[in-house]
Every structure is written in C-alpha cells, then in structure tokens.
Amino acid sequence: MAPSRFATRPWRLAAIRSKLALLAALVLRASAPAAGWEPAAGEPAPGSTELAASGTGPQRAVRVFRVYGWHTLEPHAGVIWLGVDEPYVIRLAGKCSVASDEVPSVLVLRDKHLVPGRDRMVFPAGECAIDSLLRADRNKLRASAITPDGGVVVRLIHDAGPRRSK
C-alpha cells in the first residue's frame, strides 16, 4: 500500500491547517458587526449601512461644488447631499458625536474633492474628521422619509493644508 500524500509531506498538512485558521478568522470578522459588536475604525455604522447603495463600496473621493442638505442618522453618522439628487452617508471619526438637531456649518476641504480621513466638518459642538463616505440609495432614503433640509447652509472652505518647508 502506498503512503498517503500527507504522510510523505507533513508541511502540506500544516499549510492546510493555517489556511483553515485564516478562513475561520475571516468568517468571525465578517460576522462581528451582525453580532452587535462595535465596528472598527473606517467601517460604517450598522444603521448607516442600511441606507448605502447596494454594490458600492466606500468612496475614496467625491467632487464637491455645494452642499444641498444634511440629515443626522446616528451620533457618528449622517447623510449629506452633495448634489440635488446625490446623497452620501458620512461616518465621523473618533469620539466625535453629533446631536440629532445639529447641522454642520462648514465643510473644510483641501481641494474640490471630499476625501475621507483628510477633510472635516465643523459643527456647533466642534470639529469632526470624516472617517468614511458611502453612496446612499435614494430609494431607501425616500422610503425612510429622509429628505435634505433645504434651509441648511454649509459653507465650503478650501484649506491648503500644511505648507512644506524647504
């Protein structure tokens, strides 16, 4: 009788075990938000992901000319309209939280693009860095009766950022 492949090459068995361990870790990580655990930095909040458009991932940059509206979803998330019919779910970084009636007064950009991790919003309670940006599903917003507040005026300020010394 011929010896087994695994008996002649024990490193294959170790490789298979490490792949299974990696797969198990990925499955646990994927199920963590569903289990009610706190999302890690850079991940959208569970309530705000329900409004995200299906099939889209986090946006790396979005061109901004004007802010058409704001609606607070959670203490760390809200919907911002960057076009008449162009809503995005924004998650704020760190311990920054927003009351349900707070509206941002200023959106600070380095150039004409909103880039999560770099740009920030100014609320009456303080300044908050933008952690993530997801395209929102307009139909889900309408079904939830979430509409832009037309009276919201958010100024855009272009900050050149730190200057380089020579």
Side-chain angles (χ1 to χ4, degrees), residues 76-149:
H76 302 286
V79 177
I80 190 168
W81 280 264
L82 299 177
V84 175
D85 209 16
E86 199 177 336
Y88 292 90
V89 176
I90 284 185
R91 181 158 169 79
L92 303 173
K95 297 183 181 192
C96 195
S97 64
V98 180
S100 61
D101 60 343
E102 274 190 309
V103 175
S105 57
V106 176
L107 177 58
V108 181
L109 307 169
R110 185 153 312 148
D111 53 20
K112 294 182 190 265
H113 290 86
L114 172 62
V115 179
R118 180 189 76 181
D119 298 327
R120 55 198 189 279
M121 299 182 86
V122 179
F123 292 89
E127 196 170 293
C128 301
I130 297 170
D131 189 39
S132 66
L133 183 68
L134 292 167
R135 182 177 295 277
D137 187 339
R138 295 183 303 255
N139 295 329
K140 291 178 184 177
L141 289 174
R142 285 187 197 115
S144 301
I146 298 173
T147 58
D149 183 4

